[in-house]
Amino acid sequence: MSIVKRWHYALMFFVAPAIILILLPGYSRAAFGISPPFLNADHLVAGSDYVQAVYLVQDNPATDLRIKSELDISENIRPWISIDKGFEFTIPQGVRQFPVVVTIKVPKDEVRGSYSGTLRFVTVPTEAGQVTIALGVQVAVNL
């Protein structure tokens, strides 16, 4: 291999990436997750209740984190599902694991069926006028 090709490879694989990383502006790193990522209550009968806690987890709780919940499930069973914090809430600064209790109340006159959908938790950007990324997680709901 010629010396020119060696310099070309060195420039392409080592020098260029190093220069790009040095010249990049500062960036923010964030992680947002949920545990457990499912809500399986597929043996409910009419008149029963089901309660499960899910934990919203963040890696850098430096500020309050506004959350909006979205329920993507059949319209006829939406009234069965409630969240103890409401569908919009704030995770306080300093809290890494935030419990959210989801309750399902099946009406007494309901016919047994099978339903599935998702419950999403999405962060709400707080700074106007800047480019922000809304982080989100979802829970698979199987009833």
Side-chain angles (χ1 to χ4, degrees), residues 25-110:
Y27 67 94
S28 177
R29 202 187 67 167
F32 185 58
I34 193 161
S35 179
F38 51 81
L39 200 150
N40 292 327
D42 54 355
H43 297 292
L44 295 178
V45 295
S48 63
D49 293 352
Y50 179 81
V51 178
Q52 179 177 322
V54 293
Y55 291 85
L56 300 178
V57 182
Q58 58 177 329
D59 74 333
N60 186 14
T63 61
D64 289 348
L65 186 62
R66 290 183 45 221
I67 302 291
K68 181 179 178 184
S69 307
E70 301 167 350
L71 192 55
D72 183 14
I73 201 160
S74 176
E75 288 291 329
N76 59 329
I77 68 165
R78 280 179 190 239
W80 304 3
I81 301 172
S82 63
I83 300 172
D84 70 330
K85 310 291 191 241
F87 281 87
E88 290 191 33
F89 55 89
T90 300
I91 299 175
Q93 174 183 350
V95 176
R96 289 187 186 272
Q97 295 184 0
F98 188 77
V100 176
V101 178
V102 179
T103 303
I104 300 167
K105 293 186 179 220
V106 181
K108 292 180 181 175
D109 59 348
E110 189 60 41

